[in-house]
PDB file of all heavy atoms in Angstrom:
ATOM      1  N   ASP A   1      81.593  90.032 104.872  1.00 96.00           N
ATOM      2  CA  ASP A   1      80.141  90.154 105.041  1.00 96.00           C
ATOM      3  C   ASP A   1      79.777  91.607 105.384  1.00 96.00           C
ATOM      4  O   ASP A   1      80.175  92.112 106.446  1.00 96.00           O
ATOM      5  CB  ASP A   1      79.691  89.222 106.163  1.00 96.00           C
ATOM      6  CG  ASP A   1      78.177  89.231 106.368  1.00 96.00           C
ATOM      7  OD1 ASP A   1      77.495  90.071 105.747  1.00 96.00           O
ATOM      8  OD2 ASP A   1      77.694  88.402 107.162  1.00 96.00           O
ATOM      9  N   PRO A   2      79.022  92.299 104.528  1.00 97.00           N
ATOM     10  CA  PRO A   2      78.690  93.699 104.825  1.00 97.00           C
ATOM     11  C   PRO A   2      77.878  93.871 106.103  1.00 97.00           C
ATOM     12  O   PRO A   2      78.010  94.888 106.790  1.00 97.00           O
ATOM     13  CB  PRO A   2      77.896  94.149 103.588  1.00 97.00           C
ATOM     14  CG  PRO A   2      77.436  92.909 102.921  1.00 97.00           C
ATOM     15  CD  PRO A   2      78.480  91.881 103.228  1.00 97.00           C
ATOM     16  N   MET A   3      77.044  92.891 106.456  1.00 96.00           N
ATOM     17  CA  MET A   3      76.289  92.989 107.705  1.00 96.00           C
ATOM     18  C   MET A   3      77.243  93.048 108.900  1.00 96.00           C
ATOM     19  O   MET A   3      77.032  93.817 109.843  1.00 96.00           O
ATOM     20  CB  MET A   3      75.330  91.808 107.844  1.00 96.00           C
ATOM     21  CG  MET A   3      74.195  91.795 106.831  1.00 96.00           C
ATOM     22  SD  MET A   3      72.976  93.115 107.106  1.00 96.00           S
ATOM     23  CE  MET A   3      72.134  92.493 108.554  1.00 96.00           C
ATOM     24  N   GLU A   4      78.310  92.257 108.857  1.00 94.00           N
ATOM     25  CA  GLU A   4      79.289  92.271 109.942  1.00 94.00           C
ATOM     26  C   GLU A   4      80.051  93.585 109.971  1.00 94.00           C
ATOM     27  O   GLU A   4      80.254  94.183 111.033  1.00 94.00           O
ATOM     28  CB  GLU A   4      80.273  91.104 109.784  1.00 94.00           C
ATOM     29  CG  GLU A   4      79.676  89.744 110.053  1.00 94.00           C
ATOM     30  CD  GLU A   4      80.718  88.643 109.955  1.00 94.00           C
ATOM     31  OE1 GLU A   4      81.936  88.972 109.925  1.00 94.00           O
ATOM     32  OE2 GLU A   4      80.336  87.469 109.897  1.00 94.00           O
ATOM     33  N   ARG A   5      80.478  94.055 108.793  1.00 94.00           N
ATOM     34  CA  ARG A   5      81.273  95.291 108.744  1.00 94.00           C
ATOM     35  C   ARG A   5      80.469  96.476 109.271  1.00 94.00           C
ATOM     36  O   ARG A   5      80.979  97.304 110.016  1.00 94.00           O
ATOM     37  CB  ARG A   5      81.722  95.581 107.315  1.00 94.00           C
ATOM     38  CG  ARG A   5      82.686  94.590 106.687  1.00 94.00           C
ATOM     39  CD  ARG A   5      84.075  94.591 107.314  1.00 94.00           C
ATOM     40  NE  ARG A   5      84.115  93.811 108.538  1.00 94.00           N
ATOM     41  CZ  ARG A   5      84.109  92.486 108.585  1.00 94.00           C
ATOM     42  NH1 ARG A   5      84.071  91.786 107.458  1.00 94.00           N
ATOM     43  NH2 ARG A   5      84.154  91.853 109.737  1.00 94.00           N
ATOM     44  N   PHE A   6      79.192  96.566 108.900  1.00 96.00           N
ATOM     45  CA  PHE A   6      78.379  97.701 109.332  1.00 96.00           C
ATOM     46  C   PHE A   6      77.905  97.541 110.768  1.00 96.00           C
ATOM     47  O   PHE A   6      77.709  98.538 111.476  1.00 96.00           O
ATOM     48  CB  PHE A   6      77.180  97.892 108.397  1.00 96.00           C
ATOM     49  CG  PHE A   6      77.556  98.284 106.989  1.00 96.00           C
ATOM     50  CD1 PHE A   6      76.816  97.828 105.909  1.00 96.00           C
ATOM     51  CD2 PHE A   6      78.644  99.099 106.742  1.00 96.00           C
ATOM     52  CE1 PHE A   6      77.151  98.191 104.617  1.00 96.00           C
ATOM     53  CE2 PHE A   6      78.995  99.467 105.448  1.00 96.00           C
ATOM     54  CZ  PHE A   6      78.241  99.010 104.379  1.00 96.00           C
ATOM     55  N   ASP A   7      77.723  96.305 111.210  1.00 93.00           N
ATOM     56  CA  ASP A   7      77.346  96.082 112.601  1.00 93.00           C
ATOM     57  C   ASP A   7      78.490  96.475 113.529  1.00 93.00           C
ATOM     58  O   ASP A   7      78.268  96.963 114.638  1.00 93.00           O
ATOM     59  CB  ASP A   7      76.967  94.616 112.821  1.00 93.00           C
ATOM     60  CG  ASP A   7      76.354  94.385 114.193  1.00 93.00           C
ATOM     61  OD1 ASP A   7      75.360  95.056 114.508  1.00 93.00           O
ATOM     62  OD2 ASP A   7      76.885  93.549 114.953  1.00 93.00           O
ATOM     63  N   GLU A   8      79.735  96.275 113.054  1.00 91.00           N
ATOM     64  CA  GLU A   8      80.905  96.679 113.834  1.00 91.00           C
ATOM     65  C   GLU A   8      80.961  98.204 113.985  1.00 91.00           C
ATOM     66  O   GLU A   8      81.207  98.722 115.070  1.00 91.00           O
ATOM     67  CB  GLU A   8      82.177  96.194 113.141  1.00 91.00           C
ATOM     68  CG  GLU A   8      82.362  94.701 113.169  1.00 91.00           C
ATOM     69  CD  GLU A   8      83.453  94.247 112.214  1.00 91.00           C
ATOM     70  OE1 GLU A   8      83.899  95.046 111.363  1.00 91.00           O
ATOM     71  OE2 GLU A   8      83.851  93.068 112.300  1.00 91.00           O
ATOM     72  N   ASP A   9      80.763  98.900 112.877  1.00 93.00           N
ATOM     73  CA  ASP A   9      80.906 100.359 112.883  1.00 93.00           C
ATOM     74  C   ASP A   9      79.843 100.952 111.958  1.00 93.00           C
ATOM     75  O   ASP A   9      79.968 100.900 110.732  1.00 93.00           O
ATOM     76  CB  ASP A   9      82.315 100.750 112.416  1.00 93.00           C
ATOM     77  CG  ASP A   9      82.552 102.253 112.470  1.00 93.00           C
ATOM     78  OD1 ASP A   9      81.598 103.001 112.748  1.00 93.00           O
ATOM     79  OD2 ASP A   9      83.699 102.680 112.226  1.00 93.00           O
ATOM     80  N   ALA A  10      78.811 101.527 112.554  1.00 95.00           N
ATOM     81  CA  ALA A  10      77.688 102.040 111.767  1.00 95.00           C
ATOM     82  C   ALA A  10      78.084 103.218 110.873  1.00 95.00           C
ATOM     83  O   ALA A  10      77.442 103.471 109.854  1.00 95.00           O
ATOM     84  CB  ALA A  10      76.549 102.451 112.701  1.00 95.00           C
ATOM     85  N   LEU A  11      79.131 103.940 111.242  1.00 96.00           N
ATOM     86  CA  LEU A  11      79.551 105.074 110.413  1.00 96.00           C
ATOM     87  C   LEU A  11      79.986 104.620 109.023  1.00 96.00           C
ATOM     88  O   LEU A  11      79.927 105.393 108.066  1.00 96.00           O
ATOM     89  CB  LEU A  11      80.689 105.835 111.097  1.00 96.00           C
ATOM     90  CG  LEU A  11      81.138 107.134 110.415  1.00 96.00           C
ATOM     91  CD1 LEU A  11      80.001 108.155 110.379  1.00 96.00           C
ATOM     92  CD2 LEU A  11      82.368 107.717 111.114  1.00 96.00           C
ATOM     93  N   ARG A  12      80.410 103.363 108.902  1.00 97.00           N
ATOM     94  CA  ARG A  12      80.854 102.848 107.609  1.00 97.00           C
ATOM     95  C   ARG A  12      79.753 102.941 106.550  1.00 97.00           C
ATOM     96  O   ARG A  12      80.050 103.064 105.366  1.00 97.00           O
ATOM     97  CB  ARG A  12      81.308 101.395 107.756  1.00 97.00           C
ATOM     98  CG  ARG A  12      82.632 101.228 108.480  1.00 97.00           C
ATOM     99  CD  ARG A  12      82.920  99.772 108.801  1.00 97.00           C
ATOM    100  NE  ARG A  12      84.278  99.594 109.320  1.00 97.00           N
ATOM    101  CZ  ARG A  12      84.712  98.477 109.885  1.00 97.00           C
ATOM    102  NH1 ARG A  12      83.894  97.430 110.017  1.00 97.00           N
ATOM    103  NH2 ARG A  12      85.954  98.396 110.318  1.00 97.00           N
ATOM    104  N   MET A  13      78.500 102.882 106.975  1.00 98.00           N
ATOM    105  CA  MET A  13      77.407 102.978 105.997  1.00 98.00           C
ATOM    106  C   MET A  13      77.422 104.340 105.305  1.00 98.00           C
ATOM    107  O   MET A  13      77.318 104.433 104.073  1.00 98.00           O
ATOM    108  CB  MET A  13      76.064 102.746 106.687  1.00 98.00           C
ATOM    109  CG  MET A  13      75.917 101.356 107.275  1.00 98.00           C
ATOM    110  SD  MET A  13      74.285 101.062 108.017  1.00 98.00           S
ATOM    111  CE  MET A  13      74.392 102.069 109.505  1.00 98.00           C
ATOM    112  N   LEU A  14      77.567 105.388 106.097  1.00 98.00           N
ATOM    113  CA  LEU A  14      77.606 106.730 105.518  1.00 98.00           C
ATOM    114  C   LEU A  14      78.920 106.959 104.777  1.00 98.00           C
ATOM    115  O   LEU A  14      78.947 107.636 103.739  1.00 98.00           O
ATOM    116  CB  LEU A  14      77.415 107.773 106.620  1.00 98.00           C
ATOM    117  CG  LEU A  14      77.150 109.222 106.170  1.00 98.00           C
ATOM    118  CD1 LEU A  14      75.975 109.291 105.207  1.00 98.00           C
ATOM    119  CD2 LEU A  14      76.889 110.104 107.389  1.00 98.00           C
ATOM    120  N   ARG A  15      79.998 106.375 105.274  1.00 97.00           N
ATOM    121  CA  ARG A  15      81.287 106.468 104.580  1.00 97.00           C
ATOM    122  C   ARG A  15      81.211 105.823 103.197  1.00 97.00           C
ATOM    123  O   ARG A  15      81.759 106.340 102.232  1.00 97.00           O
ATOM    124  CB  ARG A  15      82.390 105.791 105.401  1.00 97.00           C
ATOM    125  CG  ARG A  15      82.966 106.660 106.494  1.00 97.00           C
ATOM    126  CD  ARG A  15      83.868 105.863 107.426  1.00 97.00           C
ATOM    127  NE  ARG A  15      84.941 105.167 106.737  1.00 97.00           N
ATOM    128  CZ  ARG A  15      86.109 105.730 106.394  1.00 97.00           C
ATOM    129  NH1 ARG A  15      86.329 107.003 106.650  1.00 97.00           N
ATOM    130  NH2 ARG A  15      87.049 105.024 105.802  1.00 97.00           N
ATOM    131  N   GLY A  16      80.509 104.705 103.106  1.00 98.00           N
ATOM    132  CA  GLY A  16      80.372 104.045 101.812  1.00 98.00           C
ATOM    133  C   GLY A  16      79.679 104.933 100.803  1.00 98.00           C
ATOM    134  O   GLY A  16      80.085 105.022  99.631  1.00 98.00           O
ATOM    135  N   ILE A  17      78.633 105.611 101.242  1.00 98.00           N
ATOM    136  CA  ILE A  17      77.921 106.529 100.355  1.00 98.00           C
ATOM    137  C   ILE A  17      78.804 107.730 100.031  1.00 98.00           C
ATOM    138  O   ILE A  17      78.823 108.221  98.895  1.00 98.00           O
ATOM    139  CB  ILE A  17      76.592 106.949 100.991  1.00 98.00           C
ATOM    140  CG1 ILE A  17      75.645 105.743 101.028  1.00 98.00           C
ATOM    141  CG2 ILE A  17      75.953 108.112 100.235  1.00 98.00           C
ATOM    142  CD1 ILE A  17      74.372 105.964 101.801  1.00 98.00           C
ATOM    143  N   ARG A  18      79.565 108.193 101.014  1.00 97.00           N
ATOM    144  CA  ARG A  18      80.485 109.306 100.755  1.00 97.00           C
ATOM    145  C   ARG A  18      81.538 108.924  99.716  1.00 97.00           C
ATOM    146  O   ARG A  18      81.837 109.687  98.793  1.00 97.00           O
ATOM    147  CB  ARG A  18      81.153 109.723 102.061  1.00 97.00           C
ATOM    148  CG  ARG A  18      82.022 110.952 101.908  1.00 97.00           C
ATOM    149  CD  ARG A  18      83.502 110.620 101.869  1.00 97.00           C
ATOM    150  NE  ARG A  18      83.977 110.159 103.163  1.00 97.00           N
ATOM    151  CZ  ARG A  18      85.258 109.854 103.392  1.00 97.00           C
ATOM    152  NH1 ARG A  18      86.153 109.933 102.418  1.00 97.00           N
ATOM    153  NH2 ARG A  18      85.639 109.397 104.575  1.00 97.00           N
ATOM    154  N   PHE A  19      82.113 107.718  99.835  1.00 97.00           N
ATOM    155  CA  PHE A  19      83.085 107.271  98.831  1.00 97.00           C
ATOM    156  C   PHE A  19      82.440 107.167  97.448  1.00 97.00           C
ATOM    157  O   PHE A  19      83.054 107.505  96.437  1.00 97.00           O
ATOM    158  CB  PHE A  19      83.695 105.928  99.225  1.00 97.00           C
ATOM    159  CG  PHE A  19      84.720 106.008 100.317  1.00 97.00           C
ATOM    160  CD1 PHE A  19      84.606 105.226 101.457  1.00 97.00           C
ATOM    161  CD2 PHE A  19      85.805 106.871 100.219  1.00 97.00           C
ATOM    162  CE1 PHE A  19      85.546 105.297 102.471  1.00 97.00           C
ATOM    163  CE2 PHE A  19      86.752 106.958 101.225  1.00 97.00           C
ATOM    164  CZ  PHE A  19      86.625 106.162 102.354  1.00 97.00           C
ATOM    165  N   ALA A  20      81.208 106.696  97.408  1.00 98.00           N
ATOM    166  CA  ALA A  20      80.498 106.608  96.125  1.00 98.00           C
ATOM    167  C   ALA A  20      80.380 107.991  95.491  1.00 98.00           C
ATOM    168  O   ALA A  20      80.502 108.140  94.265  1.00 98.00           O
ATOM    169  CB  ALA A  20      79.115 105.987  96.325  1.00 98.00           C
ATOM    170  N   GLY A  21      80.150 109.019  96.328  1.00 97.00           N
ATOM    171  CA  GLY A  21      80.061 110.377  95.812  1.00 97.00           C
ATOM    172  C   GLY A  21      81.400 110.927  95.380  1.00 97.00           C
ATOM    173  O   GLY A  21      81.539 111.498  94.296  1.00 97.00           O
ATOM    174  N   GLN A  22      82.416 110.761  96.204  1.00 95.00           N
ATOM    175  CA  GLN A  22      83.732 111.311  95.877  1.00 95.00           C
ATOM    176  C   GLN A  22      84.337 110.657  94.642  1.00 95.00           C
ATOM    177  O   GLN A  22      84.996 111.322  93.841  1.00 95.00           O
ATOM    178  CB  GLN A  22      84.683 111.128  97.064  1.00 95.00           C
ATOM    179  CG  GLN A  22      84.398 112.060  98.234  1.00 95.00           C
ATOM    180  CD  GLN A  22      85.413 111.903  99.336  1.00 95.00           C
ATOM    181  OE1 GLN A  22      85.823 110.785  99.668  1.00 95.00           O
ATOM    182  NE2 GLN A  22      85.823 113.010  99.931  1.00 95.00           N
ATOM    183  N   LEU A  23      84.128 109.347  94.506  1.00 96.00           N
ATOM    184  CA  LEU A  23      84.753 108.608  93.408  1.00 96.00           C
ATOM    185  C   LEU A  23      83.813 108.396  92.230  1.00 96.00           C
ATOM    186  O   LEU A  23      84.219 107.847  91.199  1.00 96.00           O
ATOM    187  CB  LEU A  23      85.242 107.247  93.915  1.00 96.00           C
ATOM    188  CG  LEU A  23      86.225 107.301  95.100  1.00 96.00           C
ATOM    189  CD1 LEU A  23      86.525 105.896  95.602  1.00 96.00           C
ATOM    190  CD2 LEU A  23      87.505 108.022  94.705  1.00 96.00           C
ATOM    191  N   LEU A  24      82.550 108.818  92.377  1.00 96.00           N
ATOM    192  CA  LEU A  24      81.519 108.605  91.354  1.00 96.00           C
ATOM    193  C   LEU A  24      81.337 107.113  91.078  1.00 96.00           C
ATOM    194  O   LEU A  24      81.239 106.675  89.939  1.00 96.00           O
ATOM    195  CB  LEU A  24      81.859 109.371  90.066  1.00 96.00           C
ATOM    196  CG  LEU A  24      81.963 110.895  90.218  1.00 96.00           C
ATOM    197  CD1 LEU A  24      82.363 111.540  88.896  1.00 96.00           C
ATOM    198  CD2 LEU A  24      80.662 111.484  90.736  1.00 96.00           C
ATOM    199  N   PHE A  25      81.291 106.315  92.166  1.00 97.00           N
ATOM    200  CA  PHE A  25      81.130 104.867  92.092  1.00 97.00           C
ATOM    201  C   PHE A  25      79.693 104.484  92.420  1.00 97.00           C
ATOM    202  O   PHE A  25      78.911 105.294  92.910  1.00 97.00           O
ATOM    203  CB  PHE A  25      82.067 104.165  93.083  1.00 97.00           C
ATOM    204  CG  PHE A  25      83.508 104.059  92.635  1.00 97.00           C
ATOM    205  CD1 PHE A  25      83.984 104.791  91.547  1.00 97.00           C
ATOM    206  CD2 PHE A  25      84.397 103.242  93.304  1.00 97.00           C
ATOM    207  CE1 PHE A  25      85.315 104.695  91.142  1.00 97.00           C
ATOM    208  CE2 PHE A  25      85.723 103.135  92.923  1.00 97.00           C
ATOM    209  CZ  PHE A  25      86.182 103.859  91.841  1.00 97.00           C
ATOM    210  N   GLN A  26      79.386 103.205  92.174  1.00 97.00           N
ATOM    211  CA  GLN A  26      78.112 102.617  92.574  1.00 97.00           C
ATOM    212  C   GLN A  26      78.344 101.700  93.771  1.00 97.00           C
ATOM    213  O   GLN A  26      79.447 101.184  93.960  1.00 97.00           O
ATOM    214  CB  GLN A  26      77.501 101.814  91.417  1.00 97.00           C
ATOM    215  CG  GLN A  26      77.257 102.627  90.159  1.00 97.00           C
ATOM    216  CD  GLN A  26      76.317 103.792  90.389  1.00 97.00           C
ATOM    217  OE1 GLN A  26      75.283 103.645  91.040  1.00 97.00           O
ATOM    218  NE2 GLN A  26      76.685 104.961  89.867  1.00 97.00           N
ATOM    219  N   ILE A  27      77.300 101.500  94.577  1.00 98.00           N
ATOM    220  CA  ILE A  27      77.410 100.613  95.728  1.00 98.00           C
ATOM    221  C   ILE A  27      76.937  99.217  95.341  1.00 98.00           C
ATOM    222  O   ILE A  27      75.844  99.046  94.784  1.00 98.00           O
ATOM    223  CB  ILE A  27      76.601 101.156  96.916  1.00 98.00           C
ATOM    224  CG1 ILE A  27      77.173 102.512  97.353  1.00 98.00           C
ATOM    225  CG2 ILE A  27      76.617 100.178  98.084  1.00 98.00           C
ATOM    226  CD1 ILE A  27      76.453 103.156  98.523  1.00 98.00           C
ATOM    227  N   GLU A  28      77.765  98.242  95.618  1.00 98.00           N
ATOM    228  CA  GLU A  28      77.461  96.844  95.289  1.00 98.00           C
ATOM    229  C   GLU A  28      76.175  96.398  95.991  1.00 98.00           C
ATOM    230  O   GLU A  28      75.853  96.876  97.085  1.00 98.00           O
ATOM    231  CB  GLU A  28      78.660  95.993  95.714  1.00 98.00           C
ATOM    232  CG  GLU A  28      78.509  94.501  95.494  1.00 98.00           C
ATOM    233  CD  GLU A  28      77.994  93.783  96.729  1.00 98.00           C
ATOM    234  OE1 GLU A  28      78.163  94.316  97.845  1.00 98.00           O
ATOM    235  OE2 GLU A  28      77.423  92.691  96.553  1.00 98.00           O
ATOM    236  N   GLU A  29      75.425  95.507  95.369  1.00 98.00           N
ATOM    237  CA  GLU A  29      74.063  95.177  95.789  1.00 98.00           C
ATOM    238  C   GLU A  29      73.968  94.721  97.249  1.00 98.00           C
ATOM    239  O   GLU A  29      73.143  95.230  98.012  1.00 98.00           O
ATOM    240  CB  GLU A  29      73.491  94.092  94.869  1.00 98.00           C
ATOM    241  CG  GLU A  29      72.052  93.733  95.186  1.00 98.00           C
ATOM    242  CD  GLU A  29      71.485  92.679  94.241  1.00 98.00           C
ATOM    243  OE1 GLU A  29      72.230  92.233  93.344  1.00 98.00           O
ATOM    244  OE2 GLU A  29      70.312  92.302  94.413  1.00 98.00           O
ATOM    245  N   LYS A  30      74.791  93.749  97.669  1.00 98.00           N
ATOM    246  CA  LYS A  30      74.696  93.252  99.041  1.00 98.00           C
ATOM    247  C   LYS A  30      75.107  94.324 100.049  1.00 98.00           C
ATOM    248  O   LYS A  30      74.543  94.394 101.155  1.00 98.00           O
ATOM    249  CB  LYS A  30      75.564  91.998  99.209  1.00 98.00           C
ATOM    250  CG  LYS A  30      75.004  90.771  98.491  1.00 98.00           C
ATOM    251  CD  LYS A  30      75.850  89.542  98.773  1.00 98.00           C
ATOM    252  CE  LYS A  30      75.260  88.310  98.080  1.00 98.00           C
ATOM    253  NZ  LYS A  30      76.087  87.093  98.328  1.00 98.00           N
ATOM    254  N   THR A  31      76.060  95.145  99.667  1.00 98.00           N
ATOM    255  CA  THR A  31      76.483  96.253 100.533  1.00 98.00           C
ATOM    256  C   THR A  31      75.338  97.254 100.691  1.00 98.00           C
ATOM    257  O   THR A  31      75.048  97.730 101.797  1.00 98.00           O
ATOM    258  CB  THR A  31      77.729  96.932  99.943  1.00 98.00           C
ATOM    259  OG1 THR A  31      78.792  95.963  99.827  1.00 98.00           O
ATOM    260  CG2 THR A  31      78.196  98.089 100.811  1.00 98.00           C
ATOM    261  N   TYR A  32      74.670  97.563  99.590  1.00 98.00           N
ATOM    262  CA  TYR A  32      73.519  98.478  99.600  1.00 98.00           C
ATOM    263  C   TYR A  32      72.396  97.921 100.476  1.00 98.00           C
ATOM    264  O   TYR A  32      71.805  98.639 101.299  1.00 98.00           O
ATOM    265  CB  TYR A  32      73.043  98.673  98.167  1.00 98.00           C
ATOM    266  CG  TYR A  32      71.841  99.568  98.010  1.00 98.00           C
ATOM    267  CD1 TYR A  32      71.984 100.940  97.837  1.00 98.00           C
ATOM    268  CD2 TYR A  32      70.547  99.046  98.024  1.00 98.00           C
ATOM    269  CE1 TYR A  32      70.880 101.772  97.677  1.00 98.00           C
ATOM    270  CE2 TYR A  32      69.433  99.857  97.878  1.00 98.00           C
ATOM    271  CZ  TYR A  32      69.608 101.223  97.703  1.00 98.00           C
ATOM    272  OH  TYR A  32      68.515 102.030  97.552  1.00 98.00           O
ATOM    273  N   GLU A  33      72.099  96.642 100.321  1.00 98.00           N
ATOM    274  CA  GLU A  33      71.025  96.017 101.099  1.00 98.00           C
ATOM    275  C   GLU A  33      71.340  96.031 102.592  1.00 98.00           C
ATOM    276  O   GLU A  33      70.451  96.246 103.431  1.00 98.00           O
ATOM    277  CB  GLU A  33      70.797  94.592 100.614  1.00 98.00           C
ATOM    278  CG  GLU A  33      70.185  94.514  99.216  1.00 98.00           C
ATOM    279  CD  GLU A  33      70.122  93.087  98.690  1.00 98.00           C
ATOM    280  OE1 GLU A  33      70.662  92.175  99.364  1.00 98.00           O
ATOM    281  OE2 GLU A  33      69.542  92.885  97.601  1.00 98.00           O
ATOM    282  N   ALA A  34      72.605  95.808 102.927  1.00 98.00           N
ATOM    283  CA  ALA A  34      73.006  95.797 104.339  1.00 98.00           C
ATOM    284  C   ALA A  34      72.847  97.187 104.967  1.00 98.00           C
ATOM    285  O   ALA A  34      72.480  97.307 106.138  1.00 98.00           O
ATOM    286  CB  ALA A  34      74.453  95.320 104.474  1.00 98.00           C
TER     287      ALA A  34
END
C-alpha cells in the first residue's frame, strides 16, 4: 500500500520521483496519488 509506505517514511515520496528521473520511468497511478 503506497499510503502505508509513504506514511512510514515521507522521504520515499521524493525518492520515488528521483528514481523516475534517474531511470526515465513513470510513477504508477496509485503511488502518484498517494
